Amino acid sequence: MNKIVCRLLLILTMALSFQGLMAQKGAKEVAVDPQAKKLLDKAIAVFDSKSGLSIDFFLIMENLREGGKRQTIPGNILLRGERFKLSVAGVDTYFDGKTEYVYVAKNKEVTITNPSTEDLKDINPLFLMRSYQSGYKMRYAGAVSAKGKELEMVDLYPDDLNNDYSIITVVMDKANLSLQSVKMQGKAGVNTVLDVAKVEKRALADSEFVFNASSVKGVEVIDLR
């Protein structure tokens, strides 16, 4: 579940890098709609907070194979540079830039690891800003009105046809280009939506990104470092 959330928060960064979108060596040039890229460039700036961000969200799972059955799960993520704390579905995942702590409240158990560079692509919501240079086509999908707001939409299409999803739709507030939602359309009839409820700039201390075992009486620590 936590990896799904991180993936969704990463959508704004997957198609962008500090060097811009480039074609893979020997591959066809990636199609980039300049209007779409301009919108995403502005929208992603909100995540570049040196002091920190707190993001409240709802994770919505839509199962079209079961008559559109929906499950909605609230969550929160704290971000500061490479550090983060993700809280969703009773699981808190901390990352301090080197060490990951995964605390499962119902089990009173925390697992500690030092994730590899490859692992970070799944767990760190800002890692792909530095690692992805290609892999997505993008196009401006138009403007719509919803919930009293004018919204802008951008569609991303993975170059890798083996991906589990076919289209990723990023929705932004036209007034300030703040992120409103990200939807991953699954090929198997299961869609995942991240609906952003609130984004707040906050000064976050280093201690926010480290699990304090002494704060939970009787916690079991599984140290795999």
Side-chain angles (χ1 to χ4, degrees):
M1 180 68 70
N2 281 16
K3 288 185 178 182
I4 292 174
V5 176
C6 285
R7 282 285 181 190
L8 285 163
L9 289 170
L10 276 165
I11 296 308
L12 288 182
T13 65
M14 280 181 172
L16 302 170
S17 72
F18 294 131
Q19 298 177 10
L21 277 164
M22 301 172 64
Q24 294 179 354
K25 188 175 181 181
K28 235 173 132 181
E29 185 177 351
V30 176
V32 178
D33 180 339
Q35 185 176 3
K37 184 178 185 304
K38 183 179 179 180
L39 287 171
L40 289 180
D41 282 340
K42 291 181 177 179
I44 198 175
V46 71
F47 291 100
D48 187 20
S49 173
K50 293 188 178 1
S51 60
L53 289 174
S54 174
I55 303 171
D56 294 330
F57 61 85
F58 292 97
L59 185 66
I60 303 166
M61 314 294 289
E62 301 175 333
N63 193 332
L64 302 181
R65 295 175 300 180
E66 297 184 9
K69 183 179 178 182
R70 289 164 61 98
Q71 180 183 16
T72 301
I73 304 168
N76 171 267
I77 187 165
L78 303 178
L79 292 170
R80 198 194 79 199
E82 293 185 351
R83 297 172 173 84
F84 72 91
K85 177 192 174 185
L86 174 64
S87 301
V88 63
V91 179
D92 293 331
T93 301
Y94 302 74
F95 182 68
D96 64 4
K98 177 183 178 182
T99 303
E100 179 188 28
Y101 309 79
V102 179
Y103 173 60
V104 182
K106 70 176 181 179
N107 299 336
K108 293 185 71 173
E109 175 184 287
V110 61
T111 302
I112 307 174
T113 61
N114 286 336
S116 67
T117 300
E118 193 63 28
D119 291 334
L120 289 175
K121 291 182 181 180
D122 284 328
I123 67 169
N124 190 339
L126 291 181
F127 185 84
L128 291 184
M129 286 182 70
R130 298 181 174 90
S131 64
Y132 271 82
Q133 294 184 3
S134 59
Y136 290 82
K137 298 177 178 65
M138 65 170 66
R139 74 175 181 89
Y140 175 62
V144 296
S145 297
K147 297 180 181 178
K149 294 182 179 179
E150 294 296 318
L151 306 174
E152 301 271 23
M153 299 187 299
V154 171
D155 286 338
L156 302 177
Y157 303 88
D159 287 339
D160 183 359
L161 299 181
N162 293 319
N163 269 314
D164 293 332
Y165 48 89
S166 56
I167 303 174
I168 302 164
T169 301
V170 181
V171 180
M172 296 154 280
D173 188 330
K174 187 174 183 178
N176 55 21
L177 292 183
S178 60
L179 176 65
Q180 300 296 298
S181 68
V182 179
K183 179 177 181 178
M184 298 172 69
Q185 184 171 313
K187 294 178 180 177
V190 179
N191 299 329
T192 307
V193 181
L194 183 101
D195 190 8
V196 176
K198 182 180 179 181
V199 179
E200 178 185 9
K201 287 189 176 182
R202 281 178 48 189
L204 300 173
D206 289 350
S207 58
E208 297 267 16
F209 308 103
V210 179
F211 177 76
N212 182 5
S214 64
S215 67
V216 182
K217 186 177 180 180
V219 67
E220 180 182 0
V221 178
I222 302 172
D223 196 333
L224 302 179
R225 289 175 292 182

